[in-house]
Amino acid sequence: MARIGFHRIGSEFANQKIETIRELLQRGETVYIAGLACSGMHNTGVALIEVTQNAGPRIIVNNEEERFSGNKHTTEYPRASIDAMLETLRHMGRDAGDIAAFVTTWDYPVLLATMVRTVLEEAPASLKLLTMPIAPAIDRRRMDQMRRTPKILARQLGLPERVPLICMPHHDNHAWFSFAASPFTNDNEPIAIAVIDGTGDQGSISLYVAKGGAMRRLYCNDSMFDSLGIFYSVISSTQGGWTWLSSEGRYMGAAAWGDMNRASNPYYGRLEEVLSFGADGEIRLNRAMANWYCDPHDNPYHATLIEILGEPIKPDQLWNPDAILHVEDINHRPDTKDRLDKAAAAQMVLEDAMIHVVDHLLRATGANRLVLTGGVALNAISNMRLLEHFDEAWFAEAQQRKTRLHLWVPPTPGDPGVTIGAAWLLAHLAGAPRGTPITNAFYCGLPPTQEDIATALEPTGIASKNIGNISTADGCEAIADLMAFMVAQGAVIALYQGSAETGPRALGHRSILANPCDPKARELLNERVKYREAIRPLAPMATLEAAQEYFHLLKGASDADYNAYNYMVITAQSKPQAQTKIPAVIHADGTGRIQIVRAEDDPLTYAYLKALGRRIGVEISVNTSFNVAGPIAQTPSQAIDTLRRSKGLDVVLLVADEGTVYAAWLGSTHNNS
C-alpha cells in the first residue's frame, strides 16, 4: 500500500512528515493538516485544521460529501467537499500547497487484515461477507475506489504526482478528537474515553484513559461483530423496516412508545441473551442466536432469535427514507404495540451493554469524567441513562468517594467527526498542544454570498424579499423578532445561515423552527413538513435559563456551563410544567433531546429565542433539521428545493455572508404579507 500512496503511522514516511511538521511549529509557523474520509467507506468528506505551537489545532472546515451531493451517507470520492475546502483556503489567502499533510480516517492495512481474519475465523459461513457492502476493504469495486484516491486527489489539486496519505487508526481518531475538544480541561485527574462503534479498523469497542495531556489505549475487543453498533443496526433495520444508517435514530424514537419497563416488556428478558456480558466489561455476540456475523443482510437471525422477534424484514422490503426524492412515494409502515415493544427491548439491551462497558472502564481508571464517542454515542437516550446510573451511590461503592459521573459527547461522535480527529491526532503527534474545547458544530462549507442566494431564487414559482440585515445589533434583533412573530402566529419557518453544522443534528444554522406550545406542531411537522413517521419526536432548542426551567439538567452534564447539552446528543427528563407548556418538544417518555443555544456561538438564533420568550412566554423553540428525505440542505439551491418539496413549510430565511436576510416562499400558495 505504501507503493500506491498509503503510509501507516510508524512508517519512515510518516515519521519524516511528523518531524517536518514539528520543526515548522517550533519555528512559529502555521501548519494546515487535512483529514480525508476516502472513497469506499460511508460518510466521505474532508476536514481542515490550522495548527500553531501556541494555540494548537483549530477547525477550519469539516465538509461532508453528502451535503454537497445530496446522497446521504455517500461512499463516493469527496470531490465537492475538497473543492469547497480549496475555496475556503483561497478565501484565507492560501492554496493546496499550504497543506502540510493529508491523513485518512482509517488504517487501511489493519482494516484489510481484520476483514480477512474475520472471514477466516467464521468460515465457511462467513464467505458471503466478501460480496457485501459491510466489507469495503475486500469488496473489489470499493477497494478500487479507495486505492485510487492518491492519484485522483493529485489530479484535483493540480499536482504532478500522487498525494501521499498517512493512515490514522480509526478509533484513535475518534478518541483523541473527542477528548481534546471536550470541556474537561483539568489534566491532573484521569479522563476515561470509550469508543463504542459499528466497527473500527481493528475492533468495535476501544477504551482509553487520558491524563496529563496524553492518551493511552487500555483495550480493544479485536472484533468486528461483537459490536453494539451492529447489534442495534441489525435489530432496528430488520424489525423497524428501514435500511442501515437510516434505522437507528428512528428505532430509538420508537422505543419511547413501547414498554420501557424491564420487568414487564415481553421481549426484553429473552432478547438480552443475544449479548453475553463477560468479565472486564467484555461484550460478546451470542452466535447461537445471531447470524449477522456471517450473513447480516439476507439471514441475520438463527431460529432461536426468530422465536423471540419473528422473521426479520427482508432486504427487498426495507425502506431507505434518506434516498426518497419524491415525497409522495413515502409509505410508512403501521405502528403496532408489538413492534414498539420490540424497539423498547432493543433499546434497553443496548443501555445495559453500555452500562456494563462503562462500569468496567470507570473502575479500571478511577475516573469520574467520561468522553463517549463512536457511532453508538448518537443514542441520546442511552447517554442520559449513563448519567442517571453512575450517580453518587455508585461512586461511593465503586470508588469510595463522593462524586458522580461527568459525561461529554462531541457533536460529531460518528464518522463525520473522524476526519477532524485524524488531522487533530497527527498535530498532537507532532508536538502541538491539545487545543481549545469546542462549543459549536458550524464548520461545513462557507456561508452563502448574496450572489449564491440570488441564483437560487431565480426559478419561477418562488417569491422572495430582502427583509433586513443582521450585521448590526439592531438589525439582528429586528430579524429575530420577526421570526418570533411568525412562529408565534403558527408559521413553520426554516433558518439557513452561515456554515452548516457538521454531524447529523441541525443546531440553528440549517433548522426548521416552530411553536413548542402548539400541541399539533409535532403532527404537522411529521406529516406535512418532514413526511416522516408519527412516532418521531421534535427537539427543543432553548436558552440555558429556559432549559433549566423546563428540564432536569443533570449535574453530570454541567461542565463548562452545561456544554454537554449544546448538541442534541443527550436527552433530559422534562419537569411537570413542560408537558402542558411546551408539548410539541416533549417525547412520549417525557424527555427532550435538548440543545442549549449561546449568544456567543449563534447570535441570531439566541436573539430569536429571547424574542420568542417575549412573544409566547418561553425561550424555547421546536428545532428539526432542514431536510426532507435526504441530507440537511447545504447550498441555497438545496434550501429552495427543500422548500418546494415540503408542502407545510411557510418560509425560508436565507442569510448572506455579509448579513443580508432574504425571505423566500412558494409564490403560488402564499401571499406577500
Side-chain angles (χ1 to χ4, degrees), residues 44 159 167 209 220 226 233 297 301 428 514 551 568 581 655 670:
T44 57
L159 301 176
C167 300
V209 64
C220 178
D226 295 308
S233 290
H297 291 282
Y301 300 0
H428 167 68
F551 294 91
M568 293 170 56
K581 182 63 176 178
V655 184
H670 296 71

Side-chain angles (χ1 to χ4, degrees), residues 33-147:
I33 302 173
L36 187 65
C38 296
S39 313
M41 310 300 288
H42 68 83
N43 291 100
T44 57
V46 66
L48 182 71
I49 67 168
E50 179 183 81
V51 191
T52 63
Q53 189 62 50
N54 291 331
R58 179 175 73 93
I59 305 171
I60 303 299
V61 296
N62 186 37
N63 293 339
E64 299 180 49
E65 186 67 13
E66 67 167 36
R67 304 290 182 82
F68 300 92
S69 69
N71 179 17
K72 199 160 188 180
H73 305 301
T74 184
T75 64
E76 300 305 315
Y77 174 76
R79 183 175 302 279
S81 294
I82 294 170
D83 281 342
M85 178 193 69
L86 295 175
E87 183 181 359
T88 301
L89 277 171
R90 287 191 290 270
H91 274 74
M92 299 167 58
R94 304 275 186 167
D95 59 30
D98 291 303
I99 300 175
F102 279 85
V103 293
T104 69
T105 57
W106 295 79
D107 185 338
Y108 288 104
V110 171
L111 176 62
L112 180 58
T114 300
M115 293 284 188
V116 171
R117 173 173 58 82
T118 297
V119 171
L120 293 177
E121 286 175 349
E122 311 291 357
S126 59
L127 294 177
K128 191 173 182 180
L129 291 174
L130 297 174
T131 65
M132 292 186 175
I134 198 172
I138 296 176
D139 177 85
R140 183 176 298 175
R141 186 187 71 84
R142 301 176 80 195
M143 179 69 170
D144 184 62
Q145 282 184 327
M146 182 270 292
R147 72 176 182 80

Side-chain angles (χ1 to χ4, degrees), residues 198-482:
T199 189
D201 34 44
Q202 185 176 341
S204 53
I205 298 175
S206 296
L207 306 178
Y208 302 77
V209 64
K211 189 175 181 181
M215 186 181 75
R216 177 168 56 95
R217 188 169 74 176
L218 303 174
Y219 167 80
C220 178
N221 69 348
D222 295 324
S223 171
M224 296 188 69
F225 285 102
D226 295 308
S227 163
L228 297 185
I230 293 180
F231 156 76
Y232 203 77
S233 290
V234 171
I235 298 298
S236 62
S237 181
T238 56
Q239 290 299 314
W242 310 282
T243 54
W244 284 32
L245 304 179
S246 296
S247 61
E248 297 84 353
R250 289 171 167 81
Y251 216 54
M252 179 183 69
W257 297 88
D259 184 353
M260 287 292 290
N261 187 318
R262 286 168 172 78
S264 57
N265 184 291
Y267 299 100
Y268 166 75
R270 292 175 294 166
L271 184 61
E272 65 178 344
E273 296 175 7
V274 80
L275 297 177
S276 174
F277 295 8
D280 299 326
E282 185 178 65
I283 302 287
R284 294 295 177 190
L285 181 69
N286 182 348
R287 284 157 169 76
M289 295 176 66
N291 189 47
W292 52 79
Y293 67 99
C294 289
D295 192 352
H297 291 282
D298 292 325
N299 297 289
Y301 300 0
H302 285 309
T304 49
L305 189 55
I306 293 174
E307 290 176 6
I308 298 170
L309 296 178
E311 291 282 352
I313 297 173
K314 294 296 183 183
D316 61 0
Q317 297 175 317
L318 297 179
W319 169 49
N320 183 0
D322 296 325
I324 296 291
L325 295 179
H326 302 289
V327 291
E328 60 270 19
D329 293 339
I330 295 179
N331 182 23
H332 299 293
R333 292 177 179 272
D335 300 326
T336 65
K337 186 68 169 67
D338 185 63
R339 291 177 66 227
L340 296 173
D341 284 346
K342 292 176 185 177
Q347 175 66 29
M348 289 187 288
V349 171
L350 177 71
E351 293 168 8
D352 293 349
M354 293 179 69
I355 288 171
H356 180 71
V357 172
V358 172
D359 184 290
H360 164 70
L361 178 59
L362 296 178
R363 291 177 189 270
T365 60
N368 75 325
R369 295 178 295 172
L370 172 67
V371 173
L372 182 65
T373 187
V376 177
L378 285 168
N379 193 295
I381 290 288
S382 292
N383 299 343
M384 181 183 70
R385 301 290 183 226
L386 292 176
L387 282 170
E388 293 174 339
H389 180 85
F390 294 102
D391 57 8
E392 288 84 355
W394 185 91
F395 276 91
E397 180 276 324
Q399 295 187 4
Q400 293 76 54
R401 60 174 175 153
K402 187 177 181 179
T403 187
R404 61 163 299 123
L405 177 66
H406 287 250
L407 175 67
W408 192 77
V409 181
T412 51
D415 282 359
V418 190
T419 44
I420 307 170
W424 205 308
L425 179 55
L426 189 77
H428 167 68
L429 295 175
R434 173 179 162 183
T436 57
I438 67 170
T439 59
N440 66 74
F442 307 132
Y443 300 113
C444 190
L446 287 169
T449 64
Q450 288 194 56
E451 183 179 357
D452 295 331
I453 295 174
T455 300
L457 294 175
E458 284 177 359
T460 57
I462 299 295
S464 64
K465 186 177 182 180
N466 180 332
I467 60 171
N469 191 295
I470 64 167
S471 61
T472 65
D474 288 345
C476 184
E477 287 292 335
I479 294 297
D481 190 65
L482 175 61

